Amino acid sequence: MPTQPIPAPGSHAISIRNLKKSFGSNDVLKDISLEIEPGEVVCIIGPSGSGKSTLLRCVNLLEVPTSGTVLVGPDEVTHPDADLDRIRRRIGMVFQSFNLFPHLTVLENLTVAQIKVLKRRKEDAIATARLNLHRVGMSHKEDAYPGQLSGGQQQRVAIARSLSMEPQLMLFDEPTSALDPELVGEVLAVMKSLANEGMTMVIVTHEMAFAREVADRVVFMDGGYIVEQGLAQEVIGNPQEERTQSFLHRVLNPMVIDAAEVIEAEELSTAS
Amino acid sequence: MDRGRSEELIGPPAAAPAAAGRNRTTCSTSEETMSTQTTYPATEVAAPRLTRRQRARLSLGVQYALGIAVIGLLAFMTDWATFSAAFLRFDILERMLPRVILIGLVNTIIYAALAFIFAFVVGLLLAVMRLSSVAAYRWFAGAYVEFFRGVPALVVLFMVAYGIPNAFPGFQFPGDKYGMVMVGLGITAAAYMAETFRAGIQAVPKGQLEAARTLGMSHTRTMATIVIPQAFRVVIPPLTNEMILLVKDSSLVYVLGVTAAQYELTKFAQDFLNRSVNATPLIVAALCYLAITLPLSGLVRKLEARYAKAR
């Protein structure tokens, strides 16, 4: 497993303090503090609009927080002088919509940043790329273009692309939400093997079975706050907060919701 | 399948209002309403007894017949000997060759290519400025585009060719007339190309930028390696269109008072027109223009096919 360069006492992989983020008058993150340890696998769950993705995107500053601090290892990413390009190299990110570069082949997708950013020699970049394609089971498609691959294959290539930069931690923003149901498994399997190798991972997901099995810790968010967190079995198996209970109830039993409830909720929201 | 559909189309008109009425009162007979919903509204069905497809075929037949009749009438009324004497005099063509190619066609290509290069560089720069986070850049690029899109190319060419040498005595365009044309036509084309490039850059999904930045690429590196190569593919067809327009706009060069060696196709043809009092030179010039523009269109189709795979 990758070790932290400076294992100072109390040094976290990620340390988020009093993070707030608003889009105009819409307060998406209200006051978030969260620490993630090296090697830890944390799943963030919660209803849509609860701020999960925004929180993740604040970690590598794809969204600029309104206030608060974010530290990744020893570096404060929210510092005005932070060298973001350098910090981002150490943070892999996998998106819901894959975001592979459509004008490059699979192999070029994996080598372009190694060559242009890490200044690796082309042969070295290709060797690293091939190794990581092998890890995600995509060696046979290195000359294909992203458009020729299935969603599951594209997402596995996207994971390999992140891994080729040899990141110290990986962020996953709903990596299986855009996939056809039969393709979800192959992506989760790759993520699970990464977790077993000791990668530090923060995963925004709706896959409760995956969270329960793979996550060391589950964080439940609602309305811009962290409502509840703890061991995966605890939070998913025996939630303490009412909002967690009602969310899990809806997610785990999608058929129990009555049409009348939906209509009532809809009318309430249009009335207000 | 065909028969089934046409039977549906001429279905009884009376069924439609009845079905609509039933539809409104209750949903219980859902199967029944489903089957009658396919009936077309009464107004259409009440028209002639022909099916929609038959009517379309009849209409097309009438159009063909009219077209053939008009062509036939024109052909009958035309005095072909006079006609070809006015437009197709081979002796004039012979006198035009080979200079129409070596001077006219070559100069047209040079003028258009120079202006295109100028417009490409300036247009790309303006597009990046227009998308910049610096307000002054955005304002300048916006004003440039609005101004030069709204002013005729001929006026701009005049301003460049006569205005600039007067305003800056001693200033000489590199390559004299060639430099003048490059700037004079390029300025206008750059305004159009800036808009094309801007649309192309904006057509690249935001996720591409995010993915590149996440891999540690700087903004400039992201633009150069990820965004602009993708934008370029989107932009190839409208860019060729711009090239074709420039080929034709090069005909404006005659107003600059060019020497015989600097003639482009239109000026060259006009010269012959004055001497021979015959339209043949115009036909020859038109064919030469097509000899440039048609291969350009073909080239685009080829490029588009090549890039289709990597979309």
Side-chain angles (χ1 to χ4, degrees):
Chain A
M1 69 162 273
T3 49
Q4 289 297 103
I6 310 162
S11 160
H12 308 286
I14 303 174
S15 174
I16 298 166
R17 283 184 215 133
N18 304 110
L19 185 70
K20 288 178 187 154
K21 172 68 183 173
S22 317
F23 294 103
S25 61
N26 182 17
D27 300 330
V28 179
L29 299 178
K30 285 170 185 158
D31 186 10
I32 302 279
S33 292
L34 182 68
E35 257 125 33
I36 287 159
E37 306 307 323
E40 201 179 15
V41 177
V42 175
C43 281
I44 303 176
I45 62 171
S48 58
S50 59
K52 311 177 297 278
S53 290
T54 307
L55 174 61
L56 206 64
R57 292 161 61 85
C58 280
V59 171
N60 61 4
L61 236 65
L62 281 184
E63 302 290 353
V64 181
T66 310
S67 68
T69 57
V70 177
L71 276 84
V72 173
D75 300 305
E76 186 189 334
V77 292
T78 43
H79 194 280
D81 287 336
D83 183 353
L84 284 178
D85 293 336
R86 190 180 58 81
I87 298 171
R88 281 184 179 137
R89 288 174 212 167
R90 299 191 281 115
I91 312 173
M93 185 155 190
V94 175
F95 299 87
Q96 182 177 348
S97 48
F98 327 132
N99 294 347
L100 292 177
F101 306 131
H103 62 303
L104 303 177
T105 64
V106 165
L107 196 66
E108 287 164 349
N109 262 278
L110 269 66
T111 54
V112 62
Q114 293 188 64
I115 294 168
K116 305 279 186 195
V117 176
L118 301 180
K119 310 288 177 202
R120 283 185 184 154
R121 281 166 51 224
K122 197 176 175 202
E123 313 80 270
D124 298 342
I126 289 175
T128 310
R130 291 211 166 113
L131 193 80
N132 285 304
L133 280 179
H134 180 72
R135 277 169 92 177
V136 300
M138 288 298 296
S139 297
H140 59 301
K141 290 286 188 185
E142 66 172 51
D143 292 324
Y145 283 94
Q148 299 166 319
L149 304 178
S150 75
Q153 290 175 324
Q154 288 192 51
Q155 194 60 298
R156 285 189 282 147
V157 171
I159 293 172
R161 179 174 67 178
S162 276
L163 289 173
S164 296
M165 301 297 285
E166 286 158 9
Q168 285 160 3
L169 67 115
M170 297 264 292
L171 310 174
F172 293 82
D173 188 4
E174 303 199 27
T176 58
S177 296
L179 297 177
D180 289 337
E182 80 271 21
L183 304 176
V184 169
E186 62 191 68
V187 173
L188 293 181
V190 167
M191 289 166 62
K192 193 175 155 188
S193 81
L194 260 182
N196 289 337
E197 288 168 34
M199 175 64 78
T200 311
M201 295 162 77
V202 185
I203 305 159
V204 170
T205 187
H206 292 291
E207 299 290 334
M208 293 304 146
F210 175 81
R212 187 198 288 256
E213 189 189 333
V214 180
D216 299 312
R217 182 154 49 118
V218 167
V219 174
F220 173 73
M221 283 181 69
D222 192 16
Y225 294 104
I226 293 176
V227 174
E228 185 171 359
Q229 59 173 311
L231 290 176
Q233 288 84 346
E234 292 288 315
V235 175
I236 295 173
N238 184 23
Q240 299 301 305
E241 297 288 330
E242 199 205 319
R243 280 193 278 178
T244 322
Q245 288 165 2
S246 103
F247 169 73
L248 286 168
H249 180 66
R250 274 178 285 143
V251 171
L252 299 174
N253 313 290
M255 294 299 287
V256 300
I257 298 167
D258 193 58
E261 275 178 46
V262 177
I263 293 162
E264 199 176 312
E266 203 64 42
E267 277 167 357
L268 272 176
S269 68
T270 45
S272 62
Chain B
M1 153 91 204
D2 278 352
R3 178 170 298 176
R5 264 193 75 187
S6 46
E7 272 169 11
E8 263 174 29
L9 294 182
I10 46 172
R22 228 180 305 154
N23 223 341
R24 214 160 290 142
T25 48
T26 171
C27 288
S28 61
T29 56
S30 62
E31 269 188 41
E32 229 175 310
T33 41
M34 284 282 280
S35 62
T36 46
Q37 262 166 3
T38 46
T39 320
Y40 279 71
T43 46
E44 263 182 68
V45 184
R49 287 278 162 83
L50 295 168
T51 65
R52 181 174 284 206
R53 189 170 303 176
Q54 283 169 332
R55 262 182 289 154
R57 215 174 284 159
L58 182 69
S59 159
L60 198 63
V62 171
Q63 290 171 40
Y64 276 133
L66 265 175
I68 291 167
V70 169
I71 292 169
L73 194 66
L74 280 176
F76 177 75
M77 284 165 57
T78 307
D79 178 352
W80 285 105
T82 318
F83 181 86
S84 65
F87 281 106
L88 300 166
R89 287 254 307 271
F90 287 99
D91 58 316
I92 295 178
L93 173 65
E94 256 169 60
R95 271 191 282 144
M96 289 175 79
L97 285 172
R99 281 187 303 148
V100 67
I101 307 288
L102 295 181
I103 293 175
L105 186 76
V106 166
N107 273 333
T108 293
I109 291 174
I110 290 174
Y111 289 138
L114 285 174
F116 185 82
I117 292 166
F118 182 89
F120 188 97
V121 174
V122 175
L124 191 57
L125 193 72
L126 285 168
V128 174
M129 283 171 87
R130 202 137 196 221
L131 297 170
S132 159
S133 53
V134 182
Y137 285 154
R138 284 201 308 271
W139 183 87
F140 174 80
Y144 181 102
V145 168
E146 289 305 328
F147 183 84
F148 286 106
R149 261 198 326 195
V151 177
L154 186 60
V155 173
V156 177
L157 187 61
F158 262 130
M159 285 198 294
V160 168
Y162 297 117
I164 290 183
N166 280 340
F168 304 98
F171 176 80
Q172 273 261 311
F173 277 101
D176 188 38
K177 288 285 177 334
Y178 290 98
M180 264 182 214
V181 173
M182 181 175 188
V183 177
L185 290 179
I187 281 181
T188 307
Y192 287 97
M193 269 195 223
E195 287 298 274
T196 305
F197 281 128
R198 183 173 68 109
I201 290 171
Q202 283 178 327
V204 177
K206 196 163 160 264
Q208 292 290 310
L209 206 91
E210 290 183 350
R213 298 308 301 274
T214 303
L215 291 168
M217 291 189 196
S218 67
H219 184 77
T220 313
R221 168 58 65 200
T222 303
M223 287 304 271
T225 317
I226 304 300
V227 176
I228 289 178
Q230 288 185 57
F232 192 62
R233 278 150 207 224
V234 180
V235 151
I236 284 175
L239 221 53
T240 318
N241 211 21
E242 197 57 49
M243 181 84 206
I244 289 171
L245 287 176
L246 273 173
V247 168
K248 296 191 293 176
D249 278 355
S250 67
S251 64
L252 299 175
V253 168
Y254 80 92
V255 301
L256 300 186
V258 286
T259 64
Q262 294 165 335
Y263 279 9
E264 40 65 55
L265 279 170
T266 300
K267 179 67 183 164
F268 192 90
Q270 205 187 19
D271 228 35
F272 265 87
L273 188 68
N274 291 340
R275 273 189 274 159
S276 59
V277 200
N278 186 278
T280 305
L282 296 179
I283 298 289
V284 175
L287 290 176
C288 287
Y289 278 117
L290 286 173
I292 305 171
T293 53
L294 291 183
L296 273 178
S297 306
L299 181 74
V300 183
R301 276 195 296 277
K302 238 180 217 156
L303 283 174
E304 279 182 322
R306 211 180 80 187
Y307 288 146
K309 197 171 68 161
R311 268 275 153 83

